């Protein structure tokens, strides 16, 4: 096993990465090796898929399989080796189908080699023997750390793109160009690229592709559930039977709400599903009672204390404790051995569990937080915001966004929000917001100082806000009184970072630590070419941001 | 003084301790370790002291393996200095909350096989815990008949469920307090007190090794639950069941075992009978002997899940040690 795809990976002077029997996330060696093999097969599928796209003969089902399969390998998504064994068998069939289609369309073409020719073993022990070929560090001796690190950047960015694209898929939004872009990157990785320039260009191409994917996801979400609007969300429980839905997937939440329709069961959102309350078509469901708990890393305590079933619809899942293992369900790409998985969107047994479990005995005093400041809500008051900037009432905008996590260094983001001057506006998205969103940050002339843009999946909305402000001020995004303070944890954040770099957004402050897969030389490139800045302290970074703004 | 508990999966739990046994100290610190009698007689809290000196209070020496001088019963282990204790189970088996005590009504009683009764209870809904039967397959509950202070531990044979059903297979011991009550007084509708779930005899679902289950008599109950769970979750691990009995009539009805194969197609079985009839075509001998035969051709390390009397478990432990393949024994004493 070797994995260094997330922020919490083991760090050591001698070299970072999880390389023991179990990763920090709880992923064991077998599962990690099976994930590597699956990714290797996806590269093989990408080889054929890229060529079929070029021939105008894409296989939409294969593209969707790739997106879903890549999503299962993100941090804290799927730990079920049984599911990976199934997917490896399925991937071989998909590859065969594409190979047949490609060879039928191009008679006489020599058969493709590399991952496209890989034959997975039938039995698990033999399969694990094959895993070395698929390691993310394969070829290190030949090409060195910098190339391996850049390949990892492309792969992890690609995983993030695939995850966002899968979220759009389930709501019926997909485009051939997304499948083609993902296939292009997989095909490149299948060729064991060693040219740093080519890999850097592919990283930026993925950033551009991700921007389109996020636009697609935005269209899927708003097209299905309406335009998010500012909404007060209850954060304290109401007496009665209860279901908790966590992760990011709005469709699964909708299905749970449909399953409890006509009952008195209260449905609560957890973590990254908080912004669901701002969508009119979800908010209208009377069973949607409020938000419970905080960010993913606190789930073991929060789920143990929740008196009903829990549905985990996407990342981030951590090892379910015995006290709630029977009443947690996974759906979509998520899995854990011995935890019930709902593959067909039928949440009837979750409702059955809710009826059998005690629910909340009492209604707690009401507390609320305000969410729903997507691009439409913010831009609807753009005139007011622009005036506030021109009058000096608003000196600066900070976008404090991204993932949360357990590392103590993440207190930086709480400090940042607390210490930002009162004449600055804080935009936030992702689950990193739980570090500071329960506090009252006040308002500036009626504009709340803390504007919750949504999930990390809503990064498109945040970028649109920045672009619209730049347009209004007739300047570039980098000239706006705006600083991006990004916390990363998993691979969707890597995709968003690539998008920001591809859009030419400079001076992104990145933390709490920099990706372990980036070597000092690669970090040097990010710093020099793209102006990426590692975080220091909240005070120093606030001061530096404001100084830049004043200059 | 400080105690460091090291779980099988390498997690370390540290807590201070004053004048108490390690089990009580752990509970005071909020860690509820698998334990039953708290009196040094059931062997449930067995662990191993890797570092530090201690005294063992009064206990049944038969509950400790002779092969390991560092083995202790945590309920009788009084530290004399800082201790590092190795636990034979994962972090996930250490609870953070007290064990629930609930009421359950008898809904069915019927003979299971010779000398054994199948008892089904349904949990009474209460405000604190609702009505769901939540446990890990392999765990047990302590049952107390109405109007008595008898408390006996029996493993659950069914799967966790939302109907609140608890199924047990109970061996009738002549003259035993619980057996006598069950045989002479118990009736459908009686309300019993149930404490649990308890126990660390559960599947290590992250392990990819072949699993071999060894049980006899009522030792089949937790194994049935685990096998049913594997079936429900379409677990793909190789799996072999060895059921031991003294006589053929003590073997569960074929339908019971065959129904397992319907959901777990890779399941193989050995039925071991010590004193069979002449026409018996299964294994002739004890369950550990059948295990020895089963493992004879295998070089792969195996996870052996065994539920039975201390003597049987010792024999299996010796057998696995001699085999020298790094097998693991996950055991429950009855």
């Amino acid at each position: 096993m070797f994995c260094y795809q997330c922020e919490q990976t083991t760090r050591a002077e001698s070299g970072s990465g999880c390389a023991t029997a179990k990763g920090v996330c709880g992923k064991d060696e077998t599962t990690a090796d099976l994930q590597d093999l699956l990714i290797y097969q996806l590269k093989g599928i990408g080889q054929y898929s890229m060529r079929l796209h070029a021939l105008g003969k894409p296989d939409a089902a294969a593209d969707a399989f790739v997106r879903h399969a890549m999503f299962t390998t993100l941090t804290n998504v799927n730990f079920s080796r049984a599911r990976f064994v199934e997917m490896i068998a399925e991937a071989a069939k998909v590859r065969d189908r594409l190979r047949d289609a490609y060879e039928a369309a191009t008679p006489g073409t020599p058969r493709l080699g590399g991952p496209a020719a890989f034959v997975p073993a039938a039995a698990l022990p033999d399969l694990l023997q094959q895993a070395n070929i698929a390691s993310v560090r394969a070829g290190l001796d030949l090409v060195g750390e910098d190339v391996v690190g850049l390949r990892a950047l492309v792969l992890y960015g690609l995983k993030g793109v695939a995850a966002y694209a899968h979220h759009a898929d389930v709501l019926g939004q997909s485009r051939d160009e997304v499948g083609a872009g993902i296939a292009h990157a997989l095909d490149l990785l299948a060729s064991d690229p060693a040219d740093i320039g080519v890999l850097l260009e592919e990283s930026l191409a993925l950033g551009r592709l991700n921007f389109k994917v996020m636009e697609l996801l935005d269209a899927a979400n708003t097209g299905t559930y309406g335009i998010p609007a500012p909404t007060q969300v209850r954060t304290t429980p109401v007496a009665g039977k209860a279901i908790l839905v966590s992760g990011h997937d709005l469709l699964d939440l909708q299905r749970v709400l449909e399953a409890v329709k006509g009952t008195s069961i209260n449905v609560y959102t957890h973590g990254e599903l908080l912004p669901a309350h701002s969508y009119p078509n979800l908010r209208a469901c009377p069973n949607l009672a409020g938000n419970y708990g905080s960010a993913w890393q606190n789930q073991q305590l929060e789920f143990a204390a929740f008196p009903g079933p829990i549905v985990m619809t996407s990342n981030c899942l951590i090892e379910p404790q015995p006290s709630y293992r029977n009443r947690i369900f996974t759906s979509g790409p998520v899995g854990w051995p011995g935890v019930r998985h709902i593959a067909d969107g039928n949440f009837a047994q979750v409702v059955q569990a809710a009826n059998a479990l005690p629910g909340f005995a009492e209604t707690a005093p009401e507390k609320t937080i305000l969410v729903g400041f997507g691009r439409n809500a913010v831009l609807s008051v753009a005139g007011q915001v622009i005036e506030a900037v021109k009058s000096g009432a608003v000196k600066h905008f900070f976008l404090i966004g991204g993932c949360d996590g357990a590392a103590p260094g993440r207190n930086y983001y709480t400090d940042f929000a607390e210490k930002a001057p009162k004449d600055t506006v804080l935009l936030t998205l992702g689950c990193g917001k739980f570090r500071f969103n329960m506090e009252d940050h006040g308002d500036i002339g009626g504009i709340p100082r803390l504007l919750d843009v949504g999930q990390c999946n809503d990064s498109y909305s945040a970028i649109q806000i920045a672009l619209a402000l730049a347009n209004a001020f007739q300047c570039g995004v980098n000239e706006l009184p705006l600083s991006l303070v990004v916390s990363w944890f998993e691979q969707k954040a890597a995709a968003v970072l690539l998008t920001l770099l591809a859009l030419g957004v400079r001076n992104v402050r990145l933390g709490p630590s920099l990706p372990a897969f980036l070597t000092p030389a690669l970090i040097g490139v990010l710093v020099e070419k793209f102006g990426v800045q590692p975080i220091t302290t909240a005070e120093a970074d606030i001061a530096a941001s404001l100084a830049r703004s004043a200059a | 003084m400080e105690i460091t508990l090291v779980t099988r999966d390498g997690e370390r739990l540290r807590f201070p301790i004053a004048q108490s046994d390690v089990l009580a100290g752990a509970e005071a610190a909020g860690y509820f370790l698998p334990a039953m009698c708290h009196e040094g007689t059931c062997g449930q809290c067995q662990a191993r002291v890797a570092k530090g000196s201690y005294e063992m209070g009064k206990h049944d020496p038969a509950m400790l393996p002779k092969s390991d001088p560092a083995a202790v019963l945590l309920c009788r282990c009084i530290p004399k200095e800082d201790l590092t204790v190795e636990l034979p189970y994962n972090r996930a088996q250490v609870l953070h909350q007290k064990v629930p005590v609930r009421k359950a009504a008898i809904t069915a009683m019927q003979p299971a096989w010779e000398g054994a009764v199948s008892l089904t209870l349904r949990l009474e809904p209460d405000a604190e815990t609702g009505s769901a039967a939540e446990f890990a397959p392999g765990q047990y509950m302590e049952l107390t008949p109405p109007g008595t202070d008898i408390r006996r531990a029996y493993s659950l044979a069914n799967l966790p469920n939302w109907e609140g059903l608890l199924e047990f297979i109970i061996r009738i011991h002549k003259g035993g307090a619980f057996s006598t009550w069950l045989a002479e007084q118990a009736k459908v509708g009686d309300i019993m007190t149930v404490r649990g779930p308890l126990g660390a005899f559960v599947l290590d679902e992250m392990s990819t090794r072949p699993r071999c289950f060894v049980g006899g008599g009522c030792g089949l109950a937790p194994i049935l639950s685990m096998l049913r769970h594997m079936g429900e979750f379409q677990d793909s691990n190789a799996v072999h069941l060895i059921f031991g009995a003294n006589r053929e009539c003590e073997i569960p009805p074929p339908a019971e075992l065959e129904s397992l194969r319907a959901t777990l197609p890779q399941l193989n079985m050995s039925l071991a009978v010590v004193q069979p009839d002449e026409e018996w075509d299964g294994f002739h001998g004890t369950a550990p002997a059948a295990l020895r035969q089963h493992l004879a051709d295998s070089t792969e390390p195996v996870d052996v899940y065994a539920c039975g009397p201390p003597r049987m478990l010792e024999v299996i432990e010796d057998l696995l040690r001699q085999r020298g393949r790094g097998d693991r024994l996950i055991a429950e004493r009855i």
Side-chain angles (χ1 to χ4, degrees):
Chain A
M1 167 178 184
F2 183 86
C3 182
Y4 57 177
Q5 66 175 350
C6 77
E7 194 270 335
Q8 69 180 358
T9 193
T10 307
R11 311 262 175 169
E13 297 244 333
S14 53
S16 297
C18 293
T20 53
K22 201 175 194 182
V24 175
C25 66
K27 180 169 66 176
D28 66 13
E29 188 167 18
T30 304
T31 309
D33 288 352
L34 292 174
Q35 290 187 356
D36 285 349
L37 278 171
L38 179 62
I39 292 290
Y40 190 72
Q41 289 178 291
L42 298 179
K43 291 177 190 172
I45 291 174
Q47 288 175 265
Y48 282 114
S49 180
M50 194 274 285
R51 286 161 176 79
L52 285 166
H53 272 282
L55 292 169
K57 294 176 181 293
D59 183 324
D63 287 347
F65 173 80
V66 168
R67 293 190 282 267
H68 175 262
M70 292 208 87
F71 197 171
T72 63
T73 70
L74 257 69
T75 304
N76 290 342
V77 174
N78 202 317
F79 300 79
S80 169
R81 64 189 145 72
R83 295 263 298 282
F84 285 105
V85 169
E86 282 170 24
M87 273 189 282
I88 284 169
E90 177 70 18
K93 287 184 197 159
V94 171
R95 185 270 321 270
D96 290 351
R97 187 173 81 225
L98 297 192
R99 184 187 59 207
D100 293 348
Y102 177 65
E103 291 180 354
T106 56
T109 313
R111 182 156 284 189
L112 298 180
F118 176 70
V119 181
L124 181 62
D126 302 329
L127 212 45
L128 296 175
Q129 291 290 323
Q130 296 178 313
N132 269 346
I133 195 178
S135 168
V136 71
R137 284 163 76 77
L140 180 67
D141 294 345
L142 288 175
V143 297
E145 292 279 1
D146 291 343
V147 168
V148 165
L150 261 182
R151 287 179 188 168
L153 178 63
V154 171
L155 174 61
Y156 300 152
L158 188 56
K159 287 189 181 193
V161 174
Y164 286 131
H166 175 78
H167 276 301
D169 275 352
V170 297
L171 291 173
Q173 290 277 351
S174 58
R175 274 190 218 155
D176 275 351
E177 68 175 311
V178 175
I182 290 174
H184 185 272
L186 285 168
D187 178 65
L188 176 72
L189 290 173
S191 70
D192 294 332
D195 184 319
I196 286 191
V198 168
L199 283 162
L200 269 177
E201 180 41 46
E202 190 67 25
S203 304
L204 295 179
L206 280 177
R208 291 188 290 272
L209 178 68
N210 191 51
F211 188 63
K212 290 177 187 165
V213 168
M214 302 206 72
E215 182 185 21
L216 203 58
L217 178 56
D218 183 271
N221 288 341
T222 55
T224 312
Y225 302 110
I227 304 293
T231 306
Q232 292 287 351
V233 181
R234 187 182 177 108
T235 56
T236 49
V238 178
K241 301 289 186 186
I243 295 173
L244 187 62
V245 187
S246 189
H248 301 74
D249 199 286
L250 297 176
L251 178 62
D252 280 339
L253 175 64
Q254 180 201 335
R255 285 171 170 161
V256 171
L257 288 166
E258 283 166 0
V260 298
K261 198 173 176 184
T263 74
S264 59
I265 296 170
N266 293 316
V267 175
Y268 297 82
T269 58
H270 179 265
E272 274 282 69
L273 272 174
L274 167 64
H277 294 267
S278 65
Y279 288 93
N281 297 351
L282 294 170
R283 191 173 61 230
C285 300
N287 299 80
L288 186 61
N291 177 254
Y292 172 91
S294 56
W296 65 272
Q297 73 276 5
N298 303 319
Q299 68 186 251
Q300 288 178 325
L301 290 174
E302 291 169 359
F303 290 178
F306 188 79
I310 301 138
V311 181
M312 185 52 92
T313 66
S314 72
N315 52 320
C316 286
L317 175 69
I318 46 183
E319 180 173 3
Q321 295 294 297
S323 62
Y324 60 87
R325 193 171 281 214
N326 279 315
R327 57 185 166 88
I328 184 167
F329 299 79
T330 59
S331 64
V334 192
W336 190 280
V339 165
R340 286 184 175 78
H341 182 70
I342 294 170
D344 59 359
N346 181 350
F347 290 91
Q349 56 176 327
V350 176
V351 177
Q352 199 186 7
N355 282 319
L357 291 161
F360 286 104
E362 290 175 6
T363 299
E366 183 171 2
K367 285 185 192 167
T368 61
I369 54 173
L370 189 57
V371 302
F373 290 94
R375 61 194 164 93
N376 297 80
V378 173
L379 297 180
S380 70
V381 292
Q384 203 183 335
V385 171
I386 291 160
E387 274 314 304
V389 175
K390 286 183 174 166
S391 73
V394 170
K395 290 278 192 319
H396 202 84
F397 297 88
F398 290 109
L399 174 69
I400 312 175
C403 319
D404 205 357
R410 290 180 185 270
N411 287 338
Y412 167 91
Y413 299 97
T414 315
D415 288 351
F416 203 109
E418 276 175 9
K419 289 174 180 162
K422 300 297 175 208
D423 55 5
T424 62
V425 169
L426 312 174
L427 294 149
T428 190
L429 51 77
C431 62
K433 69 171 72 99
F434 286 102
R435 292 263 161 188
F436 47 82
N437 73 338
M438 299 291 169
E439 306 302 320
D440 182 3
H441 295 273
D443 66 282
I444 301 174
I447 304 167
R449 275 195 65 232
L450 178 66
L451 300 174
D452 185 343
V453 179
Q455 299 181 335
C456 68
N457 295 20
D458 298 311
S459 299
Y460 175 79
S461 209
I463 292 169
Q464 287 300 317
I465 291 170
L467 292 173
L469 286 177
N471 193 34
F473 286 109
Q474 296 183 327
C475 65
V477 169
N478 292 324
E479 282 74 56
L480 282 173
L482 165 71
S483 300
L484 277 69
V485 189
V486 175
S487 56
W488 84 284
F489 176 74
E490 39 81 314
Q491 299 73 46
K492 287 193 289 179
V496 173
L497 178 66
L498 292 179
T499 298
L500 293 174
L501 302 185
L503 291 174
V505 177
R506 296 181 63 83
N507 301 312
V508 174
R509 285 194 159 75
L510 185 63
S513 62
L514 296 177
F517 50 87
L518 295 180
T519 60
L522 296 174
I523 288 169
V525 171
L526 288 187
V527 171
E528 284 162 30
K529 194 168 176 191
F530 300 99
V532 171
Q533 299 176 28
I535 61 168
T536 61
T537 65
E539 293 89 340
D541 289 351
I542 291 168
S545 301
L546 296 176
R548 185 177 67 83
S549 181
Chain B
M1 288 182 291
E2 188 181 68
I3 305 294
T4 303
L5 302 176
V6 184
T7 61
R8 189 170 60 197
D9 52 350
E11 294 280 327
R12 287 174 172 263
L13 311 173
R14 289 193 179 86
F15 55 90
I17 194 163
Q19 301 286 320
S20 80
D21 58 78
V22 174
L23 188 65
E27 289 182 2
Y31 299 119
F32 292 86
L33 310 179
M36 196 161 59
C37 72
H38 291 74
E39 292 175 351
T41 55
C42 76
Q44 187 68 30
C45 62
Q46 188 192 306
R48 188 173 187 284
V49 173
K51 194 176 163 199
S53 61
Y54 58 91
E55 268 178 19
M56 281 295 290
K58 190 180 168 198
H59 68 282
D60 179 355
M63 290 300 137
L64 290 174
K66 295 180 190 70
S67 54
D68 186 1
V72 295
L73 300 177
L74 294 178
C75 71
R76 284 293 184 259
C77 176
I78 314 285
K80 290 161 81 173
E81 58 178 333
D82 290 357
L83 292 188
T84 301
V85 180
E86 294 171 357
L87 303 176
Y89 39 80
N90 287 352
R91 173 71 178 84
Q93 270 75 59
V94 179
L95 300 181
H96 287 287
Q97 59 204 24
K98 293 219 159 171
V99 180
V101 178
R102 302 163 76 179
K103 297 289 182 190
I106 298 178
T107 60
M109 284 188 299
Q110 60 201 47
W113 52 81
E114 186 159 307
V117 170
S118 169
L119 176 71
T120 306
L121 310 179
R122 185 190 291 275
L123 289 164
E124 304 270 284
D126 65 53
E128 206 178 322
T129 49
S131 60
E134 293 189 84
F135 57 91
Q139 286 193 300
Y140 65 88
M141 307 280 271
E142 288 175 0
L143 307 186
T144 299
T148 75
D149 56 3
I150 304 167
R151 200 169 75 172
R152 293 289 181 273
Y154 295 104
S155 295
L156 289 142
N158 63 330
L159 289 172
N161 59 84
W162 307 117
E163 292 79 28
L165 296 175
L166 308 173
E167 290 176 23
F168 305 92
I169 300 167
I170 296 176
R171 189 172 194 171
I172 301 297
H173 292 281
K174 276 190 185 159
F178 194 95
S179 295
T180 306
W181 172 80
L182 192 62
E184 296 176 5
Q185 294 177 50
K187 58 185 185 302
V188 170
D190 281 356
I191 306 290
M192 305 185 73
T193 304
V194 298
R195 179 173 176 270
L198 294 156
F201 184 55
V202 296
L203 286 172
D204 179 359
E205 297 191 75
M206 303 306 262
S207 170
T208 57
R209 296 173 169 195
R211 295 182 183 133
C212 187
F213 294 88
V214 186
C218 301
L220 184 64
I223 291 173
L224 273 180
S225 182
M226 289 194 252
L227 291 173
R228 286 170 173 163
H229 174 83
M230 285 178 66
E232 185 186 5
F233 285 87
Q234 286 142 40
D235 194 305
S236 56
N237 283 42
V239 55
H240 192 93
L241 168 65
I242 294 171
F243 184 84
N246 283 322
R247 292 172 298 136
E248 282 170 66
C249 60
E250 294 168 4
I251 292 174
E256 184 84 44
L257 298 175
E258 283 307 319
S259 69
L260 286 172
R261 267 206 248 259
T263 56
L264 205 53
Q266 77 272 34
L267 174 66
N268 288 311
M269 288 186 225
S270 308
L271 298 176
V273 179
V274 178
Q275 298 166 308
D277 295 336
E278 279 182 11
E279 56 271 29
W280 173 246
D281 60 356
F283 184 83
H284 183 168
T286 63
L291 177 65
R292 182 188 301 278
Q293 187 191 57
H294 170 67
L295 294 178
D297 299 330
S298 147
T299 54
E300 218 181 327
V302 174
D303 287 345
V304 176
Y305 293 81
C307 180
R311 177 67 195 141
M312 180 185 104
L313 301 181
E314 268 183 44
V315 173
I316 293 176
E317 207 172 347
D318 287 344
L319 161 67
L320 298 182
R321 196 177 306 115
Q322 285 162 21
R323 208 170 92 88
R325 300 283 180 192
D327 305 308
R328 284 195 310 174
L329 175 62
I330 297 120
E332 179 93 313
R333 287 167 180 74
I334 53 173

